[in-house]
Amino acid sequence: MEVVDLLGKNISEYRIGIRGKKLYIPIAFFLIDVCMTNEWMLARSKEPTLEQLSFRLQCVRALLGKYGQAALCPGPMRYCDRASKPVRTSHGGHITVTGNRRRTCAHCRRSKTPVACRKCNVSLHIHSFEDFHNK
């Protein structure tokens, strides 16, 4: 019973706080917590001063270093969504088309608009069109 209580105490310190409508989501994250805590306890047998938070950070950094991807383009994500910078800032072929499905403006992200740029394939307000293609 001591091991179960110790495991519960260690999991509660750095629990992954995620909630989901589907039952399997919290169960999956609980299993990840159990695995991380068990691995931390095993690592502590070799290095007794290892803290759980630093161990978790090391694991996450190792996973991101192996499987993570660099950002497609630096800066705010609103400019990186669909149009890459070379396409967006080129000075030819940017034509407004209307009658499309209403989508969120790629520049201001506040409201939806039926106007889009044919070359970039992003929705833009008329007043945002020039700003988006110059930045």
Side-chain angles (χ1 to χ4, degrees):
M1 195 65 180
E2 288 180 17
V3 175
V4 174
D5 291 337
L6 183 61
L7 180 69
K9 178 182 148 294
N10 288 334
I11 287 175
S12 68
E13 288 179 10
Y14 297 106
R15 179 180 299 271
I16 299 173
I18 208 160
R19 294 164 62 183
K21 292 183 180 181
K22 305 290 183 187
L23 180 63
Y24 57 85
I25 300 288
I27 291 172
F29 282 108
F30 174 75
L31 292 175
I32 291 171
D33 275 333
V34 169
C35 292
M36 291 291 284
T37 303
N38 285 337
E39 286 297 320
W40 171 66
M41 293 171 112
L42 287 172
R44 261 191 24 193
S45 65
K46 293 181 181 175
E47 188 180 335
T49 60
L50 183 63
E51 294 182 4
Q52 187 175 4
L53 181 60
S54 62
F55 175 76
R56 284 179 177 248
L57 287 174
Q58 287 175 2
C59 290
V60 168
R61 285 186 184 129
L63 287 172
L64 286 176
K66 187 171 183 179
Y67 299 107
Q69 295 179 354
L72 296 175
C73 61
M77 285 302 294
R78 66 178 175 217
Y79 299 123
C80 300
D81 284 349
R82 293 189 191 105
S84 64
K85 187 169 183 166
V87 172
R88 189 180 71 230
T89 56
S90 68
H91 294 291
H94 296 287
I95 301 170
T96 59
V97 266
T98 57
N100 293 332
R101 186 184 81 185
R102 292 177 58 90
R103 296 187 298 183
T104 305
C105 176
H107 183 67
C108 68
R109 297 279 183 174
R110 292 194 183 125
S111 60
K112 295 186 176 191
T113 179
V115 179
C117 176
R118 179 178 286 170
K119 185 174 183 180
C120 299
N121 193 23
V122 293
S123 292
L124 295 163
H125 291 113
I126 295 295
H127 60 273
S128 301
F129 195 82
E130 188 176 341
D131 291 340
F132 179 79
H133 288 104
N134 289 332
K135 289 187 179 181

